[in-house]
Amino acid sequence: MQFLLVLIVAGPLLGAVAALLPAPPGLKGKSPDQAVLRHGVTVTGVILLAALVLALGFDHDQPSKMQATTDISWIRALDVRIHLGVDGISLPLLVLTALLTFLCALYSYFKLPAGGSPKAFVALLLVLESGTLATFAVLDLVLFFLAFETVLIPMYFLIARWGGEGRQAAAWKFILYTLLGSVVMLLGLLLIGVKAGTFDMVALATDNGRGLTTAVQVIAVLAIGLGLAVKTPMWPLHSWLPDAHTAAPTVGSVLLAGVLLKMGTYGFVRIVLPIAPEGMQTLAPYLAAFAVAGIIYGSLACLALARPGNKGDLKRLIAYSSVGHMGFVLLGIATMTPTGVNGALFANIAHGLVTGLLFFLVGAVKDRYGTADLDTLAGATGAALYGSAPRLGALLAFAAVASLGLPGLAGFWGEMLALFGAFDPAEGLSRPAFLTFMAIGAFGTLLTAAYLLVVVRRVCMGGPRPAGETAIADVQGYEFAAWTPLVALTVLAGLWPAVLLGLTDPAVQQLLAGGPR
């Protein structure tokens, strides 16, 4: 188990180095480009297999216990350690990251985005995977910061080199926003480490803030929370996200929405909640207020983009929908209750599955029509997907209803539990305020249903295809292979939520309670 976790974290980094080396003659296939793309599929496939074996070997009777741990001294002067481990909170995120990266590598093997060298693309994809997996596996605050930062550079280049129109400006906006937030977050992490005398996240969570004064906790939560809020992204720190998604290649958008946004909310659960509970309690009402503002803002922005005549970009619309969905995650965390935090973790995984699928589908539509403009898709090209590409249209409709929270699909449980948590927040929080937040969030679910149903009606049921226009290709074999796991898991999580909640709940209970482990 120890070896598996180390392999999962370090394997993609080694694979990235190997991707830049010349391919052995026997493995080149038709061309060196094909060989390096096959290498990307192989490495991400091995990491996914290792993650699944780790999940099978995980002791499901003790999900609150850190397992597969490695603890080695690294920088003795600062007591910084190479400390790795997984529990019921981080394990689902590790598997989700490994799965989405493998599906992106598989999709890119057949549909590589235009831009730079395939060698550089595969290497960046693997470095991005390694940094993300490390973020969910490390148990030292300094290592967490280093892993958190590792993903920025590869995502910057994926947008800047392989993105679409406006990619340079979007990439710069992404890197500047996230770097600025990270600098402030580092100050908060150092403050906790210096005042508590350790950077070990397990020891700090066990202490549950007892070694830190309330003033230190409030300052730390402000600093760390700002950096995490940028990455989440929380309204009003979200403005980099729509530009980044609109410009990014398909696989970049899938990983950005499905994995990178989760790093911010994971930091709130793993660091802020257990290590600085008094500071979190002071600022929780403000976090909840920003969360519900994001829910309403994201939904209204999507409604505006979906309106006929507004030239709304479908990728941009889904990006704004992520602002709303992540608002539910933040609301659940702000309740500081097991119900709310479990809902936030469930919504994290559901958003990764459903929005990852949505970006795959929108990328396929854009590849076929050369545009993601809603007015063009619904009008001039006659993009009645039900008539011209019925399987693609059905998948898009499925992903949309999953995203709006239809009962029986993954999107439902996380949002419902977050609202339940707001109905009865933790002791010390204002119940009238959180009841107001719950009502606003519930109204946001109605707005979400409204704009997604408008999108389905316009794109899937648009005008008939003009006479003489060539029919577009329906779902191809490689697309079917890349999308089927996301569809299946969306249904499984919706029908059998206990699979995920059974992992997260004991770990959340332990994290909120602190004390001996």
Side-chain angles (χ1 to χ4, degrees):
M1 293 283 281
Q2 264 184 314
F3 171 76
L4 275 176
L5 187 57
V6 172
L7 172 66
I8 288 166
V9 172
L13 206 55
L14 298 175
V17 174
L20 298 174
L21 300 175
L27 298 178
K28 284 186 178 180
K30 295 180 181 177
S31 70
D33 289 351
Q34 187 189 51
V36 75
L37 292 171
R38 189 189 305 114
H39 170 78
V41 175
T42 303
V43 172
T44 55
V46 169
I47 298 304
L48 174 59
L49 181 61
L52 293 175
V53 173
L54 180 69
L56 290 173
F58 186 82
D59 185 354
H60 291 261
D61 293 329
Q62 301 185 73
S64 62
K65 179 184 176 183
M66 283 296 171
Q67 302 181 35
T69 55
T70 297
D71 191 1
I72 304 170
S73 180
W74 183 34
I75 306 174
R76 291 186 181 276
L78 298 176
D79 194 27
V80 176
R81 310 182 68 80
I82 299 176
H83 192 182
L84 307 176
V86 290
D87 64 357
I89 293 172
S90 53
L91 182 64
L93 290 165
L94 279 172
V95 175
L96 175 68
T97 301
L99 172 65
L100 285 177
T101 312
F102 169 71
L103 297 181
C104 285
L106 180 65
Y107 188 85
S108 300
Y109 180 80
F110 296 95
K111 193 72 178 180
L112 181 69
S117 147
K119 277 180 174 285
F121 178 86
V122 170
L124 289 169
L125 189 68
L126 293 174
V127 172
L128 182 68
E129 180 181 31
S130 181
T132 311
L133 290 168
T135 301
F136 299 136
V138 297
L139 297 172
D140 183 277
L141 292 180
V142 176
L143 280 186
F144 176 84
F145 175 77
L146 294 176
F148 197 87
E149 294 303 286
T150 300
V151 305
L152 301 185
I153 300 304
M155 181 53 73
Y156 166 82
F157 282 110
L158 285 174
I159 296 171
R161 292 295 301 277
W162 287 270
E165 186 179 350
R167 60 184 181 271
Q168 293 292 343
W172 274 111
K173 197 171 184 179
F174 162 76
I175 199 76
L176 290 175
Y177 263 78
T178 50
L179 276 178
L180 180 61
S182 296
V183 169
V184 182
M185 182 178 75
L186 176 61
L187 296 176
L189 295 174
L190 292 176
L191 175 64
I192 286 178
V194 169
K195 292 294 184 180
T198 181
F199 290 101
D200 187 272
M201 290 159 63
V202 175
L204 288 165
T206 302
D207 193 50
N208 209 219
R210 286 185 285 269
L212 302 170
T213 65
T214 301
V216 168
Q217 290 190 36
V218 170
I219 295 170
V221 171
L222 274 173
I224 298 170
L226 182 63
L228 297 174
V230 171
K231 184 65 72 72
T232 297
M234 180 184 78
W235 179 91
L237 303 173
H238 69 283
S239 61
W240 61 270
L241 184 70
D243 291 341
H245 271 309
T246 305
T250 297
V251 294
S253 291
V254 171
L255 292 175
L256 185 58
V259 176
L260 265 67
L261 303 190
K262 312 301 173 283
M263 294 165 62
T265 51
Y266 174 78
F268 275 106
V269 175
R270 177 64 73 196
I271 298 173
V272 177
L273 270 177
I275 295 176
E278 292 177 24
M280 182 64 183
Q281 187 176 61
T282 301
L283 298 172
Y286 303 99
L287 177 63
F290 283 120
V292 295
I295 293 170
I296 300 301
Y297 173 84
S299 299
L300 292 177
C302 290
L303 277 172
L305 288 170
R307 188 178 302 165
N310 280 4
K311 294 290 180 182
D313 186 282
L314 192 49
K315 287 187 75 176
R316 195 174 190 86
L317 184 147
I318 297 171
Y320 273 111
S321 78
S322 291
V323 176
H325 288 305
M326 299 312 288
F328 282 102
V329 176
L330 290 172
L331 176 61
I333 293 169
T335 67
M336 299 184 68
T337 62
T339 301
V341 176
N342 276 305
L345 294 171
F346 198 102
N348 250 351
I349 300 299
H351 180 264
L353 296 172
V354 176
T355 307
L357 177 61
L358 273 171
F359 275 115
F360 267 134
L361 294 166
V362 173
V365 171
K366 187 173 183 179
D367 287 339
R368 286 159 170 77
Y369 286 102
T371 182
D373 177 75
L374 270 169
D375 288 339
T376 304
L377 292 174
T381 61
L385 287 180
Y386 287 158
S388 56
R391 286 185 286 275
L392 183 58
L395 282 171
L396 184 60
F398 169 84
V401 296
S403 184
L404 64 81
L406 185 74
L409 298 176
F412 171 73
W413 295 105
E415 295 181 3
M416 184 195 71
L417 289 172
L419 293 175
F420 278 0
F423 180 77
D424 189 17
E427 186 178 350
L429 297 178
S430 169
R431 193 175 184 215
F434 274 84
L435 286 175
T436 303
F437 299 145
M438 183 194 74
I440 297 172
F443 178 65
T445 63
L446 300 179
L447 295 178
T448 302
Y451 71 74
L452 285 169
L453 291 176
V454 168
V455 168
V456 170
R457 179 179 59 80
R458 296 192 66 203
V459 176
C460 296
M461 309 176 194
R465 182 161 51 88
E469 183 180 292
T470 305
I472 66 168
D474 209 337
V475 178
Q476 304 295 297
Y478 70 92
E479 293 172 329
F480 182 80
W483 302 343
T484 298
L486 300 180
V487 173
L489 288 172
T490 298
V491 175
L492 177 64
L495 295 178
W496 196 10
V499 172
L500 186 55
L501 293 174
L503 277 175
T504 62
D505 185 54
V508 167
Q509 298 273 3
Q510 180 69 68
L511 209 64
L512 292 176
R517 287 173 177 254

